[in-house]
Amino acid sequence: MIEIKVECGGGYGVFIEKGLLRRADELLCAYAGAAKYCIVSDGNVAPLYLEAVKARVLALGAEVSEFVFPAGESNKTFATVGRILEILAGLHFTRSDCLIALGGGIVGDVCGFAASVYMRGIRFVQIPTTLLAAVDSSVGGKTGVNLGSLKNQVGAFWQPSLVICDPDTFSTLPEREYRNGMAEVIKYSAICAPELADKLDGDICEIIKTCVQIKSDIVSRDERDNGERMLLNYGHTFGHAVECASDERIPHGMAVAIGMMMACRVSERLGICGAEVADRTAALLSAHGLPLEADEFSAEMLYGAMQNDKKRAGSKVTLVLPRRFGECALHTVTMDELRGIMIGADR
Ligand code: NAD
Ligand code: GLY
């Protein structure tokens, strides 16, 4: 079993192994140890894995309940969090009890946010069932919900107590969702691990390990996203704009792929990198079935969607731009400069 330590919050482990769900009770006993658990999942994941996880919790002699909400970004809302909080109150959950997020990034973000506010914070465990959640969203403690069309506008930093990653769960993942996760894997390679790009068809546990180790190192140094952690947002500033403009028709991973290509073009335009970075990035994304552009949205539309970006501070926004493939840097520009750059880069 692979174990990666994350030095955030109280410090916690990310455990990765095929078939690990079958041993979830051992990890829950060692790192959560609650008397009551509530498993939060979505309508696609619950029929596949909820009973198996429930059985492992019952094997601990703990009480277990569940909350299942419909899958999809449109349910990543305050209303869903409110329902979870009401259920926890109805079950007389106390601060020593624990939530379990069983699903992809949406379940993890919603469940983690509920955990962060119930009684001012209770523990939660992440069980990611998508590649995207395994390599990114289940680690690092960003939780939250959308506010209308504004992505992840409301949330909290709230670290899990434990992450249990069983890549066998990806066997039921629609291919499109697997590709979404590959976009985040390629992101890690592009920001600091160029050698990972040559191993994308290798052992999935090793791929997840590499990504989680990078994320763990970065968030352990900058939990609150004040500096280095912003590098993990490569492709996200432009990507969130694509997600918003498409009314969530383009999912997160694909939007990040398009966002990375936009960042490459902006970087090239600013003279920070050469054309070979976009070429290398495009080749990798295409090889994994990911889109490179979203022609239907004009630069004006995307700029409009970026007005509410969380990475904006006053009249400035910090972009993550590549210097070369495998190295990115932060670059702060005014919103007016960004408008000029984007419209110039729209080709
Ligand atoms: P998701 O949670 O919507 O999961 C994708 C789809 O796959 C859903 O329909 C889900 O029901 C289904 N699914 C999940 N696991 C499955 C399985 N094993 N078998 C069959 N179906 C399965 O999306 P995602 O791509 O995992 O996550 C995207 C979300 O994560 C976005 O809301 C994004 O903002 C957020 N995110 C958060 C962070 C963070 O640091 N907190 C980082 C990246 C992304
Ligand atoms: N997904 C970017 C971060 O966690 O910071």
Side-chain angles (χ1 to χ4, degrees):
M1 178 163 48
I2 294 167
E3 177 181 354
I4 296 168
K5 285 268 177 234
V6 186
E7 301 299 339
C8 279
Y12 57 96
V14 179
F15 296 86
I16 307 160
E17 188 177 74
K18 289 185 176 180
L20 196 53
L21 275 195
R22 289 193 291 275
R23 292 172 56 196
D25 45 339
E26 290 168 32
L27 294 170
L28 290 170
C29 179
Y31 300 103
K36 284 184 189 176
Y37 293 87
C38 179
I39 304 171
V40 175
S41 193
D42 75 23
N44 295 331
V45 178
L48 297 166
Y49 302 109
L50 184 64
E51 286 309 317
V53 176
K54 246 172 133 174
R56 297 332 307 155
V57 177
L58 289 170
L60 289 170
E63 274 181 40
V64 62
S65 46
E66 65 201 57
F67 174 73
V68 178
F69 63 94
E73 201 68 47
S74 61
N75 297 302
K76 189 173 164 180
T77 59
F78 266 128
T80 306
V81 171
R83 288 278 298 123
I84 297 172
L85 300 178
E86 282 164 8
I87 283 169
L88 298 181
L91 292 165
H92 306 293
F93 255 53
T94 68
R95 280 198 174 148
S96 63
D97 299 321
C98 187
L99 283 169
I100 297 177
L102 174 67
I106 292 180
V107 168
D109 283 9
V110 165
C111 177
F113 188 42
S116 77
V117 290
Y118 185 75
M119 291 187 162
R120 300 202 178 86
I122 64 169
R123 291 171 302 158
F124 84 114
V125 172
Q126 289 267 20
I127 305 187
T129 62
T130 64
L131 176 60
L132 185 142
V135 298
D136 193 356
S137 62
S138 64
V139 180
K142 281 189 183 174
T143 72
V145 296
N146 303 328
L147 198 59
S149 65
L150 304 179
K151 281 280 302 167
N152 303 328
Q153 189 76 2
V154 180
F157 288 98
W158 191 248
Q159 302 292 338
S161 301
L162 164 70
V163 182
I164 301 173
C165 177
D166 178 354
D168 276 353
T169 58
F170 307 160
S171 64
T172 52
L173 202 56
E175 204 233 317
R176 177 175 189 261
E177 298 304 340
Y178 195 81
R179 283 191 265 137
N180 272 320
M182 281 312 289
E184 296 281 5
V185 174
I186 292 168
K187 174 196 81 176
Y188 285 106
S189 181
I191 57 178
C192 62
E195 67 289 351
L196 177 60
D198 300 321
K199 299 178 188 157
L200 297 180
D201 296 320
D203 178 23
I204 192 63
C205 290
E206 287 301 316
I207 291 174
I208 297 169
K209 177 184 166 188
T210 303
C211 297
V212 170
Q213 188 64 62
I214 293 169
K215 183 152 188 183
S216 168
D217 290 347
I218 291 178
V219 300
S220 297
R221 291 189 292 262
D222 176 25
E223 179 183 5
R224 296 291 168 125
D225 221 358
N226 293 318
E228 189 183 4
R229 184 168 181 168
M230 286 190 241
L231 290 171
L232 296 173
N233 291 329
Y234 181 42
H236 283 60
T237 299
F238 298 114
H240 279 165
V242 170
E243 259 179 294
C244 287
S246 77
D247 220 2
E248 263 104 49
R249 195 175 38 76
I250 300 181
H252 182 80
M254 303 215 176
V256 168
I258 295 165
M260 285 191 282
M261 288 308 301
M262 289 174 71
C264 288
R265 290 192 199 110
V266 166
S267 191
E268 203 181 315
R269 187 174 165 78
L270 292 174
I272 297 171
C273 75
E276 71 285 354
V277 182
D279 293 345
R280 174 97 169 105
T281 309
L284 281 170
L285 294 173
S286 298
H288 289 87
L290 289 158
L292 306 181
E293 55 195 5
D295 275 348
E296 61 268 48
F297 311 119
S298 67
E300 281 286 354
M301 278 173 82
L302 295 179
Y303 174 74
M306 287 171 78
Q307 296 290 328
N308 289 302
D309 196 283
K310 290 186 298 306
K311 287 153 299 280
R312 182 174 163 180
S315 63
K316 295 185 171 171
V317 66
T318 299
L319 303 175
V320 185
L321 299 178
R323 285 187 174 143
R324 57 182 70 87
F325 188 87
E327 185 187 344
C328 286
L330 303 179
H331 189 89
T332 301
V333 293
T334 64
M335 290 306 285
D336 280 348
E337 282 167 340
L338 177 64
R339 188 168 181 279
I341 296 165
M342 282 180 71
I343 288 160
D346 191 22
R347 57 180 196 201

